[in-house]
Amino acid sequence: MITMEKKIDWKQLLKNNGILLVFFLIIVGLSIMSPYFLTVTNILNIIRQTSIYGIIAVGMTFVILTGGIDLSVGSILALSGAVAAGLMKNNDVAPLIAALVAIMVGGGIGLVNGLLITFGKIAPFVVTLGMVTIARGLTLIYTGGYPISGFADGYRQLGGGYVLGIPIPVIIFLATVALAWFILNHTRLGRYTYAIGGNEETVKLSGINVRFYKSMAYVIVGIMSSLSALILTARLNSAEAVAGQGYELDVIAAVVIGGTSLSGGRGSIIGTLIGALLIGTINNGMNLLGISPYFQQVVKGALIIGAVILDRLRDETN
Amino acid sequence: MEPLLRMSGISKSFPGVHALTNVDFDLMKGELHALVGENGAGKSTLMKILSGLYKVDEGDIYLSGEKIVNTGLGEMIHHGIGVIYQELNLIPYLSVAENIFLGREPKTSIGTIDWAKMHAMTREVLSPFKLDIKPQQKVKALGAAYQQIIEIAKALSLNAEILVMDEPTAALTGHEVDRLFEIIKKLKDDGVSIIYISHRLEEVHLLADRITILRDGERVITKQRGEMNNDEMIKYMVGRVLEEQYPRYDSNPGDVVLEVKGLSKHGICEDVSFSARSGEILGFVGLVGAGRTEIMQTIYGYRKKDAGEIILNGKPIEIKSCQDAVLKGIGLIPEERKQQGLVLGMSVFDNAALSVLDLYSTLGVLHRGKITDEVNTMIDSMNIKTPSVRQLVVNLSGGNQQKVVLAKWFIRHCDVYIFDEPTRGIDVGAKVEIYRLMQNLAKRGAAVIMISSELPEAMNISDRVAVVFKGRIVKQFKKGELNEEQVMEYSLGLHEKRRA
């Protein structure tokens, strides 16, 4: 085998970075169409709005990398948000403790998902589909269907506060991205996550506890859903039983648009960050341009399919 | 006489690699032309060009003297070229008939599948092979040999005049191989031309009218049958004289490392007892399906045992999972390297490092530098041909892939290494290297267990051999105590009949 000199393959480059190009074009287009779009306020606004589901998308990246899926993130968000709100409002629990309990609730549901998938040998789609209504039902039972509103200012900072001019949700979002990047690239958990998605059988035969590491992905996305719930509840100053409905769509879309393969084993957290920001930008842009929310849904769906087509093209050429 | 097929001046490059350089190849009517070469020599690429899967960069293909221009996948089937790949392409849960007529099922007048007609056509297609299989049977329930024959039948039913067979005997047992050879001879008599790719030189000598040897993407030589002996062929394949097919090694067995007593698992194995010593290679032979793989998987915790005791370094141990086995110092290198040994979409580095991440991490955080050193050293010492450790293993040849699997286990020091068919589908040069690597493990003091379906290999490389028949060890012997015929008798269970 003789190695040939390397030439820059523009076609390849375009295919590998297609999403960035699309993102760039959208930004250029929107800044022409709306003068308000490219202002610091609006950009921070986009990232802040993105943070809510972006944080969950960070967790979802782990799950999808293992070749799984979690449809129950919206319901986990609702339940853990309600638990935190209820503890603070009805039981006078300190916000920090309430937040920890909420995160344990989210992680716990993720663990149940993970154990059912790994020990029960049930498809992730089925387990988490069931969990969608279980967790939503538990939320309704806990809240009686009524919103829990009005929290201490300190807690509300989590959704509305700033540090050095940057919204706190944005800081948390970027911190989770950084942490996830570290975990995926520099820890056993991360490398096993990729390997399990690539070939679970090989990983098992290599003497690695596949059940544990696979379950951890669901625990992580559960915790991330709770974290998101804490921010959303603080921002809205209210926890509602219907919170987070349909979030799984935006979350999965962000991960897939970011280039993570739904069959597992391939993808990156930076991709998810870009995917989440792209969705946030499009949402924001369409709102700025006064496009009807009905039409927005069509655009978003098309975007997901487009991203998968792009992914497929990349797969075929590599 | 104009050959039926002529490939002339074929060149093909992939990014970074010249896979084929100016290769000529032809095939006469009714001829069996064997294509031989090490993994990565370009045999598969040449055949993928013929099947229309790849397009040539340079060169022409002529069928009966006529140049073929458009070589799409469907086009080549239309031209009467049928390719039977090494990895069979049948759909396990569909019936034999559905597999053969996939995409061209006979229809009734209202457009539904005409099952009666399809089954009748299937019986007709299969009749020359004289098999006891029904068109309705699910392919999954059939053995590898039958599946192979169904692939052949399928190609013939598409009016293939040229059959390409890629390592057809790799998954077959002795009897099945004989059966296949009979069929191949009959096909030739019927005027079918065959391109036969194989690593097994004996087969090539037996079947081929002509032999072409490829090396590093170039044609080295084409000769008539009988004009080359094994040594010469190997010399052309590897480009050097191979000192010996089975490297010599003075074993020095020490203490018993692994002792298995009365291992039983319903439907898989019964009362299996053996011991493996430090510094020795223990071979496990038997027919495919005798239960050798399953016995090892049971020891390794991949399957749950019903009864029996496993003693490691004098201490009874309980192995509940593969993880248990590895932590206690047992490594298993599985038979199916693509399905079980590798994560194909990951790099050479990531694959090799997979088994030791737990050793080189603190609280889950990896010591990157240390792992990189270990992996690089191992990959260098194993002579793995890869442009870089970042290369995805899916892009490596079979032999190099297998070395990556071995690297993964060699990095982690185990007391017991279990190899399941370590040289299956691997070329001669790489086989010798793998034998050496196994011997090095033994020298290092490990107990090495090797399952092998190639008797000469098992009997030359092993210090001791255990013969498995229907889930039981029916005979254990030291190297040289029995000959191949005697071992075959035990493998076939004939010793029992004789006793009875």
Side-chain angles (χ1 to χ4, degrees):
Chain A
M1 295 196 181
I2 307 143
T3 312
M4 294 189 299
E5 59 184 299
K6 272 194 179 166
K7 274 184 270 177
I8 296 175
D9 188 343
W10 290 106
K11 225 170 155 183
Q12 195 67 32
L13 207 66
L14 186 68
K15 270 176 187 158
N16 287 340
N17 300 288
I19 280 297
L20 273 178
L21 183 77
V22 171
F23 199 5
F24 179 72
L25 291 177
I26 287 173
I27 289 174
V28 171
L30 286 174
S31 45
I32 293 169
M33 285 188 274
S34 163
Y36 177 72
F37 176 74
L38 220 55
T39 59
V40 174
T41 325
N42 191 49
I43 290 171
L44 283 180
N45 197 18
I46 291 174
I47 309 178
R48 185 170 53 202
Q49 282 166 354
T50 303
S51 301
I52 301 290
Y53 62 85
I55 290 170
I56 309 176
V58 167
M60 188 69 86
T61 307
F62 283 81
V63 170
I64 294 183
L65 277 175
T66 66
I69 195 91
D70 191 340
L71 303 175
S72 63
V73 288
S75 300
I76 297 177
L77 179 145
L79 179 60
S80 43
V83 167
L87 287 176
M88 286 188 289
K89 194 74 190 164
N90 305 336
N91 307 76
D92 280 331
V93 173
L96 191 66
I97 307 290
L100 283 176
V101 173
I103 282 173
M104 273 158 47
V105 167
I109 292 181
L111 185 64
V112 172
N113 278 338
L115 295 179
L116 284 169
I117 289 161
T118 53
F119 283 90
K121 296 191 176 108
I122 312 172
F125 187 92
V126 177
V127 170
T128 59
L129 186 65
M131 194 53 83
V132 169
T133 46
I134 293 175
R136 185 71 63 187
L138 290 173
T139 314
L140 287 164
I141 293 167
Y142 183 74
T143 61
Y146 298 104
I148 306 171
S149 317
F151 309 110
D153 280 349
Y155 173 68
R156 290 181 58 192
Q157 287 293 312
L158 195 60
Y162 291 82
V163 172
L164 300 173
I166 304 168
I168 290 177
V170 172
I171 295 172
I172 295 175
F173 175 37
L174 296 179
T176 60
V177 170
L179 183 65
W181 179 85
F182 180 80
I183 292 174
L184 283 174
N185 291 292
H186 289 278
T187 68
R188 285 158 65 190
L189 172 62
R191 300 322 292 164
Y192 293 160
T193 300
Y194 277 100
I196 289 169
N199 189 342
E200 192 174 326
E201 186 76 355
T202 296
V203 179
K204 182 178 170 189
L205 281 163
S206 297
I208 293 157
N209 191 339
V210 170
R211 284 171 171 162
F212 173 77
Y213 288 102
K214 216 171 160 181
S215 301
M216 281 308 289
Y218 293 88
V219 172
I220 289 171
V221 78
I223 289 173
M224 292 298 177
S225 304
S226 306
L227 196 57
S228 177
L230 293 170
I231 296 169
L232 185 70
T233 307
R235 178 140 186 81
L236 300 177
N237 196 18
S238 171
E240 301 185 19
V242 293
Q245 244 165 5
Y247 270 33
E248 65 281 353
L249 187 73
D250 275 354
V251 167
I252 294 167
V255 177
V256 171
I257 289 172
T260 297
S261 162
L262 274 173
S263 46
R266 198 164 47 79
S268 73
I269 199 72
I270 303 302
T272 298
L273 174 65
I274 294 168
L277 288 175
L278 180 59
I279 293 178
T281 305
I282 289 173
N283 282 344
N284 175 272
M286 289 194 291
N287 284 334
L288 283 184
L289 298 177
I291 293 170
S292 114
Y294 302 157
F295 191 72
Q296 289 189 17
Q297 297 205 11
V298 177
V299 172
K300 246 193 280 179
L303 193 69
I304 297 172
I305 296 172
V308 175
I309 291 174
L310 202 71
D311 188 53
R312 188 69 62 229
L313 284 174
R314 185 170 41 198
D315 237 12
E316 274 165 15
T317 42
N318 283 355
Chain B
M1 197 171 89
E2 179 64 34
L4 180 62
L5 166 76
R6 190 156 66 84
M7 302 175 84
S8 152
I10 304 286
S11 294
K12 174 77 188 171
S13 297
F14 297 103
V17 183
H18 286 296
L20 289 174
T21 313
N22 197 23
V23 171
D24 295 328
F25 184 85
D26 61 35
L27 183 68
M28 313 301 286
K29 185 159 177 58
E31 180 191 39
L32 190 146
H33 192 158
L35 197 52
V36 181
E38 291 196 291
N39 282 324
K43 297 164 297 185
S44 298
T45 309
L46 190 64
M47 290 308 110
K48 280 175 183 163
I49 285 171
L50 189 57
S51 72
L53 203 62
Y54 292 160
K55 285 200 170 23
V56 292
D57 295 341
E58 277 171 60
D60 299 307
I61 301 173
Y62 300 88
L63 274 177
S64 309
E66 227 170 286
K67 186 171 164 179
I68 300 181
V69 192
N70 182 9
T71 57
L73 201 54
E75 189 79 6
M76 298 315 269
I77 293 172
H78 175 74
H79 282 302
I81 297 173
V83 181
I84 295 148
Y85 293 103
Q86 199 175 339
E87 282 90 17
L88 298 176
N89 286 310
L90 297 170
I91 304 167
Y93 291 101
L94 290 188
S95 70
V96 171
E98 284 170 290
N99 268 287
I100 292 178
F101 291 98
L102 193 69
R104 50 200 175 99
E105 298 84 354
K107 302 235 166 65
T108 61
S109 53
I110 53 164
T112 59
I113 292 174
D114 190 341
W115 289 101
K117 190 172 173 201
M118 189 155 90
H119 289 152
M121 284 161 72
T122 304
R123 271 188 288 273
E124 195 189 315
V125 167
L126 289 176
S127 64
F129 300 106
K130 300 194 175 59
L131 303 176
D132 50 348
I133 48 178
K134 292 193 184 77
Q136 295 89 335
Q137 254 171 306
K138 297 242 185 308
V139 160
K140 193 178 185 298
L142 302 173
Y146 281 158
Q147 295 190 12
Q148 190 96 45
I149 290 165
I150 290 167
E151 286 266 26
I152 295 171
K154 180 178 176 178
L156 294 179
S157 75
L158 285 156
N159 299 318
E161 289 177 63
I162 297 174
L163 272 186
V164 179
M165 304 174 98
D166 191 356
E167 295 281 351
T169 57
L172 306 189
T173 58
H175 277 295
E176 294 172 331
V177 170
D178 292 344
R179 183 72 169 271
L180 181 71
F181 287 178
E182 275 171 39
I183 287 170
I184 287 174
K185 281 181 184 141
K186 191 174 175 309
L187 290 173
K188 273 178 64 184
D189 291 343
D190 294 344
V192 177
S193 310
I194 297 170
I195 301 172
Y196 191 92
I197 300 174
S198 181
H199 285 114
R200 299 189 180 177
L201 301 185
E202 306 79 52
E203 290 178 5
V204 171
H205 284 303
L206 192 69
L207 297 171
D209 299 306
R210 275 192 300 160
I211 301 166
T212 287
I213 296 178
L214 293 183
R215 184 176 74 226
D216 296 335
E218 294 181 49
R219 187 177 67 113
V220 183
I221 200 166
T222 302
K223 289 227 176 184
Q224 298 288 330
R225 183 221 308 257
E227 288 181 356
M228 269 187 296
N229 63 27
N230 262 353
D231 290 346
E232 286 171 312
M233 278 172 70
I234 290 170
K235 193 181 78 190
Y236 286 125
M237 282 164 67
V238 298
R240 64 194 149 86
V241 185
L242 212 60
E243 304 104 69
E244 45 195 351
Q245 206 177 346
Y246 302 110
R248 211 187 291 274
Y249 154 69
D250 293 319
S251 68
N252 185 18
D255 298 334
V256 169
V257 178
L258 176 75
E259 195 174 358
V260 174
K261 282 186 186 166
L263 186 77
S264 294
K265 159 102 185 152
H266 181 71
I268 284 179
C269 62
E270 211 186 303
D271 197 22
V272 169
S273 302
F274 68 91
S275 59
R277 289 172 182 279
S278 153
E280 82 169 348
I281 298 176
L282 173 63
F284 268 75
V285 302
L287 300 179
V288 171
R292 294 167 300 166
T293 297
E294 291 78 2
I295 289 171
M296 293 308 156
Q297 286 176 341
T298 311
I299 293 170
Y300 192 61
Y302 184 79
R303 295 162 189 271
K304 263 204 192 88
K305 66 175 196 283
D306 294 337
E309 207 181 348
I310 295 166
I311 299 157
L312 190 70
N313 292 320
K315 270 179 268 170
I317 54 167
E318 204 52 52
I319 297 174
K320 292 199 187 79
S321 66
C322 304
Q323 191 189 15
D324 271 352
V326 171
L327 290 177
K328 280 165 182 148
I330 302 175
L332 183 139
I333 295 90
E335 179 180 8
E336 307 282 345
R337 62 175 167 266
K338 286 183 184 170
Q339 287 82 36
Q340 304 186 312
L342 293 166
V343 184
L344 286 174
M346 283 174 94
S347 66
V348 171
F349 178 88
D350 281 334
N351 270 283
L354 200 55
S355 72
V356 289
L357 295 186
D358 58 328
L359 300 181
Y360 302 121
S361 62
T362 310
L363 294 172
V365 178
L366 303 173
H367 305 160
R368 279 262 166 185
K370 178 82 180 133
I371 297 172
T372 308
D373 289 348
E374 288 276 332
V375 170
N376 286 341
T377 311
M378 185 55 71
I379 285 169
D380 284 347
S381 76
M382 295 188 71
N383 192 20
I384 296 174
K385 283 181 202 153
T386 173
S388 102
V389 292
R390 297 275 149 227
Q391 176 73 275
L392 302 185
V393 287
V394 68
N395 296 328
L396 300 187
S397 69
N400 282 309
Q401 286 183 346
Q402 182 71 338
K403 284 192 208 165
V404 175
V405 182
L406 298 186
K408 177 172 83 178
W409 284 106
F410 289 7
I411 291 174
R412 189 178 186 109
H413 289 241
C414 297
D415 295 334
V416 180
Y417 290 92
I418 304 170
F419 292 84
D420 196 350
E421 304 282 5
T423 63
R424 187 174 141 185
I426 288 176
D427 56 74
V428 189
K431 272 187 185 176
V432 175
E433 287 185 64
I434 285 171
Y435 298 144
R436 289 232 167 82
L437 291 167
M438 287 166 57
Q439 290 170 341
N440 286 340
L441 287 179
K443 270 184 212 160
R444 204 159 93 179
V448 176
I449 295 171
M450 173 183 73
I451 298 178
S452 174
S453 289
E454 278 185 48
L455 267 189
E457 163 181 288
M459 297 181 65
N460 278 290
I461 295 299
S462 316
D463 299 303
R464 284 190 301 130
V465 178
V467 188
V468 179
F469 174 69
K470 287 192 177 167
R472 281 176 298 124
I473 294 180
V474 291
K475 179 75 182 169
Q476 296 193 45
F477 62 95
K478 284 202 179 107
K479 185 177 185 170
E481 278 181 355
L482 297 183
N483 62 29
E484 277 191 41
E485 284 73 26
Q486 290 168 311
V487 175
M488 214 50 221
E489 280 190 9
Y490 283 105
S491 304
L492 292 166
L494 296 178
H495 60 288
E496 283 197 334
K497 276 181 198 152
R498 188 154 307 156
R499 210 184 298 147

